[in-house]
Amino acid sequence: MNHIALKMLMGDTGKYIGIVMGLTFASLIMTQQPAIFLGIMSRTYSFITDVGLPDIWVIDPKVQFVDDIKPMQDTELYRVRGISGVEWAMPMYKGLLKARLLDGTFQTCNVVGLDDATLIGGPPVMLEGKIDDLRRSDSVIVDIDGASEKLGKPSLIPGGKPIPLKIGDNLELNDRRAIVVGIAKVTRTFQSQPVIYTTYSRAKSYAPKERKLLSFVLVKAKKGQDLVELTRRIRESTGLAAYTQADFKTLTYEYFMHNTGIPINFGTSVLLGFIVGAAIAGQTFYNFTLGNIMQFGVLKAMGTSNWILLRMILLQAVLVGSIGYGLGVGLTALFGFAMRHTILAFKFPWQLLLFSGAGISLICAFAAIISILKVIRLEPAIVFKG
Amino acid sequence: MNLAVRCQNLVKVYDTGGQKVTALNGINLDIIAGQLMMLVGPSGCGKTTLISVIAGILDQDEGLCELFGENLLAMRSKDKLNFRAKNIGFVFQAFNLLPSLNAAENVSIPLIINGMKRAEAERKAITLLEQVGLGARWKSLPSQLSGGQQQRVAIARALVHNPRLIVCDEPTSALDHETGRNVMKLLKDVALHKDRTLVIVTHDARIFDFADRIAEMDDGHIVEVQDKREQG
């Protein structure tokens, strides 16, 4: 009876397309919106991901997330270095500084100061120049997005795109000269500000004078060292906070989850997509069943059991669900591909496929159940009612 | 004389929003195997309810209805479905063909319900469509056929699994006079034989002459049963 079920479904092209479109829309909303949400959330800790090398981040105990800088004294670095199990510990400066552009305007930038000797914590990918060039005087490395957009030189055509910074160009950071010696690729940050890398000592000279300027102590554990145990020792010895890389990401992620409206905004979109999708698909599928109720009645009168009718409706629901899900997920993937070079945040892990798959399955189950109930309760004697 | 159907004191009451309507009020009727029985009477007299009970798609409230000696009311639901699938064919006033299936697929449905493979069922369906004069149109969708042709497809569908009883509800009322008579002729020639019984509900007096017996109903009762063959 499967072929009869499929022909019944596809025979009414308008309704068939209507059901599939409803499910496609629901699937699209349930994957695209969470993908943007995950993209944005992953940007909140993208700096931690990009730094990569250290096992442990040591910070002020009051820090709530990676951009919530509460500087420490430089002496903390030496205290950390003295703890057993620490292979190395390096300083890092991170702060928001204003860069003066060629046209006289200012742009807030994320300035990252790396340990002068080792340059640990540098950009993950160098597009132009070498990270070692930071050893030259007044040198900085700028991220490609910042160099092309916000830090770019004014266009020669009024209203035109800025001219990207290139190696050899100058910037002014806090009235001090900075020469671009490299262009790097970094993951966009949550605030999408340009990222400028320099050495720790030079970053301190760019920064306004303060007693404390050490943002992070980056720690590498000795081989075989239990990271949880080492973080506990660092906390106890220094009174500072110490997190493994994963825990620091979680701290940052949870701060944004609990203290911003982002999850509610996206959650509402996803919920609306689910409800609208369920309403459209459920209603259209139910109408389709109602429209075919006489046909189901005829099959029932001829001796088709409720179990077979149930299987027929389930098959119809599974088919439209699969097609709608596939189209929705495909459109989301296309969207992500089309937006890959834009400022839009987009992350599409495989778990999202499961999430939207479960959502579409729920919608289809709902649509199928209300239809199945109608057909099971159907009196076959309906066939004689003209 | 074999009985195909035996109804004794059949009562069926519908509850329509708190109001009780007695559709069958003590029906006693025997239908002889191999004959064409017509149930006639005014609208609302209970004809459709009676064939629904006879065909086993509606349960009576009281009384006994035996089909080929079997009491359908006493059967388990699954057995009743199987019995209906094997022994009963249906022809409806509005044809009730599945619009997205072609003629052969429509005709093959009872065979598929009875467990036959699809390809074999469609082969047999085409053979039967040839018998009703539609061999060349087996690929046509119902929407591509005239009313008379659709009713012939419906007749082929009612016959294809070789049932012992065919129930027809107003089979000619949607057709013009000429086409209606052709359909009745087809039913009588192809469908009726000594092992198969036809029960036709109709109020179309133009086809009464095809009946072997006519049971006239009114207000939930059988008023009169005429034996047309004795009269003839």
Side-chain angles (χ1 to χ4, degrees):
Chain A
M1 300 293 281
N2 291 348
H3 77 287
I4 295 176
L6 297 182
K7 284 213 162 183
M8 280 170 78
L9 176 68
M10 294 172 189
D12 192 336
T13 316
K15 278 183 187 161
Y16 173 57
I17 290 174
I19 301 167
V20 170
M21 285 299 109
L23 289 164
T24 301
F25 171 75
S27 168
L28 175 67
I29 295 289
M30 280 193 288
T31 45
Q32 187 244 25
Q33 287 293 305
I36 294 175
F37 170 70
L38 290 177
I40 288 175
M41 294 313 287
S42 69
R43 281 188 183 177
T44 62
Y45 55 77
S46 61
F47 180 71
I48 307 170
T49 310
D50 279 358
V51 171
L53 198 55
D55 296 321
I56 292 169
W57 291 63
V58 181
I59 49 178
D60 184 276
K62 294 281 189 274
V63 166
Q64 299 179 82
F65 59 101
V66 68
D67 294 320
D68 177 31
I69 306 296
K70 296 195 168 57
M72 304 168 285
Q73 288 187 337
D74 279 359
T75 50
E76 302 292 3
L77 172 66
Y78 306 110
R79 295 178 68 192
V80 175
R81 280 180 176 162
I83 295 166
S84 77
V86 172
E87 175 80 29
W88 50 252
M90 299 300 165
M92 177 176 265
Y93 170 86
K94 184 170 186 287
L96 293 176
L97 299 180
K98 280 184 181 161
R100 188 166 186 272
L101 309 183
L102 280 179
D103 61 358
T105 58
F106 289 90
Q107 170 65 51
T108 306
C109 303
N110 238 318
V111 175
V112 181
L114 314 174
D115 174 57
D116 291 45
T118 62
L119 299 176
I120 279 174
V125 179
M126 287 300 296
L127 299 174
E128 288 176 48
K130 299 191 298 288
I131 194 163
D132 285 342
D133 293 339
L134 281 181
R135 300 186 202 286
R136 287 154 55 181
S137 70
D138 296 335
S139 58
V140 293
I141 292 171
V142 182
D143 81 291
I144 180 74
D145 296 318
S148 310
E149 297 161 16
K150 292 179 178 168
L151 295 178
K153 290 175 282 187
S155 169
L156 299 175
I157 310 156
K161 274 189 165 183
I163 301 165
L165 280 184
K166 58 181 191 302
I167 290 177
D169 286 340
N170 285 357
L171 287 171
E172 247 184 60
L173 285 168
N174 206 10
D175 291 335
R176 283 178 59 87
R177 192 172 68 147
I179 304 168
V180 178
V181 295
I183 305 291
K185 176 74 190 162
V186 302
T187 311
R188 277 186 193 266
T189 59
F190 183 68
Q191 290 143 325
S192 291
Q193 282 155 338
V195 183
I196 295 176
Y197 289 89
T198 186
T199 59
Y200 183 69
S201 57
R202 199 173 301 127
K204 285 204 295 185
S205 70
Y206 289 142
K209 295 297 170 216
E210 284 183 53
R211 196 164 61 89
K212 300 175 179 179
L213 282 169
L214 177 64
S215 308
F216 310 108
V217 177
L218 308 179
V219 173
K220 186 76 182 172
K222 281 185 177 163
K223 216 168 188 180
Q225 188 68 42
D226 179 7
L227 294 182
V228 177
E229 176 57 24
L230 183 56
T231 54
R232 189 189 61 75
R233 277 207 300 276
I234 294 171
R235 278 197 301 270
E236 283 178 1
S237 305
T238 62
L240 299 170
Y243 295 97
T244 61
Q245 194 182 60
D247 288 347
F248 195 30
K249 282 182 185 177
T250 306
L251 181 81
T252 300
Y253 179 84
E254 286 191 346
Y255 174 83
F256 281 89
M257 286 295 282
H258 296 137
N259 295 284
T260 68
I262 300 169
I264 291 179
N265 290 339
F266 279 91
T268 307
S269 294
V270 173
L271 186 67
L272 275 179
F274 178 80
I275 292 170
V276 173
I280 295 174
Q283 175 75 17
T284 322
F285 195 79
Y286 183 64
N287 280 345
F288 162 77
T289 306
L290 279 188
N292 288 315
I293 204 72
M294 189 60 91
Q295 300 178 32
F296 283 115
V298 168
L299 293 174
K300 216 166 176 176
M302 286 177 177
T304 309
S305 66
N306 279 335
W307 168 240
I308 289 175
L309 293 175
L310 181 149
R311 267 177 31 200
M312 288 171 71
I313 291 172
L314 277 181
L315 176 68
Q316 291 168 339
V318 167
L319 182 80
V320 290
S322 305
I323 294 173
Y325 171 69
L327 285 176
V329 165
L331 286 174
T332 302
L334 275 179
F335 173 84
F337 184 74
M339 296 289 153
R340 69 194 184 283
H341 295 311
T342 68
I343 197 165
L344 189 98
F346 190 85
K347 192 176 181 188
F348 198 0
W350 62 268
Q351 290 91 337
L352 204 49
L353 292 174
L354 294 185
F355 170 76
S356 55
I360 292 297
S361 301
L362 263 179
I363 292 175
C364 289
F366 163 73
I369 284 168
I370 54 172
S371 296
I372 285 165
L373 287 177
K374 183 76 187 171
V375 170
I376 284 178
R377 288 177 186 153
L378 176 70
E379 282 284 346
I382 189 180
V383 291
F384 288 133
K385 290 178 183 165
Chain B
M1 187 170 64
N2 286 333
L3 281 185
V5 180
R6 187 161 71 102
C7 300
Q8 287 184 330
N9 282 320
L10 281 187
V11 174
K12 179 68 188 176
V13 180
Y14 291 113
D15 191 343
T16 54
Q19 199 183 348
K20 306 270 185 196
V21 177
T22 305
L24 302 179
N25 194 2
I27 295 280
N28 290 299
L29 178 68
D30 289 340
I31 300 173
I32 298 159
Q35 287 196 354
L36 192 160
M37 162 70 90
M38 280 188 190
L39 296 175
V40 303
S43 292
C45 70
K47 308 185 294 284
T48 300
T49 302
L50 181 57
I51 55 161
S52 297
V53 171
I54 289 171
I57 57 175
L58 186 68
D59 290 338
Q60 69 271 30
D61 296 323
E62 289 174 33
L64 175 74
C65 180
E66 282 183 352
L67 195 55
F68 306 110
E70 300 276 356
N71 178 6
L72 293 183
L73 197 62
M75 278 185 187
R76 288 187 311 156
S77 174
K78 192 180 170 190
D79 295 335
K80 198 199 287 194
L81 273 178
N82 287 337
F83 184 87
R84 216 158 63 207
K86 283 187 170 51
N87 294 294
I88 302 174
F90 293 89
V91 178
F92 306 102
Q93 179 182 356
F95 323 130
N96 286 345
L97 300 174
L98 273 62
S100 46
L101 303 188
N102 66 32
E105 288 167 334
N106 262 293
V107 173
S108 67
I109 290 173
L111 297 173
I112 291 168
I113 291 172
N114 279 302
M116 190 180 281
K117 294 274 181 226
R118 184 178 155 197
E120 190 186 346
E122 285 183 14
R123 267 199 303 277
K124 200 165 173 190
I126 292 169
T127 309
L128 210 72
L129 280 169
E130 282 164 1
Q131 280 186 44
V132 298
L134 287 173
R137 303 297 305 269
W138 67 270
K139 280 185 181 169
S140 301
L141 293 172
S143 58
Q144 296 164 326
L145 299 171
S146 68
Q149 286 172 325
Q150 286 188 56
Q151 197 59 298
R152 280 193 276 162
V153 174
I155 290 167
R157 181 177 67 181
L159 290 171
V160 73
H161 54 308
N162 201 20
R164 295 160 76 190
L165 174 73
I166 294 178
V167 291
C168 310
D169 182 38
E170 307 277 8
T172 58
S173 67
L175 306 173
D176 61 58
H177 176 65
E178 182 68 25
T179 313
R181 286 195 68 83
N182 286 340
V183 164
M184 282 309 299
K185 197 166 178 313
L186 180 72
L187 269 173
K188 192 140 191 180
D189 292 349
V190 179
L192 193 64
H193 56 70
K194 68 179 176 56
D195 294 323
R196 188 180 292 137
T197 309
L198 262 71
V199 180
I200 297 177
V201 162
T202 186
H203 61 262
D204 184 357
R206 298 169 303 183
I207 62 166
F208 285 177
D209 53 322
F210 286 94
D212 294 319
R213 292 168 79 218
I214 296 178
E216 192 179 340
M217 289 184 71
D218 194 12
D219 206 14
H221 296 91
I222 299 287
V223 182
E224 185 188 8
V225 178
Q226 300 170 43
D227 193 326
K228 302 289 282 184
R229 293 189 306 183
E230 283 173 9
Q231 287 173 5

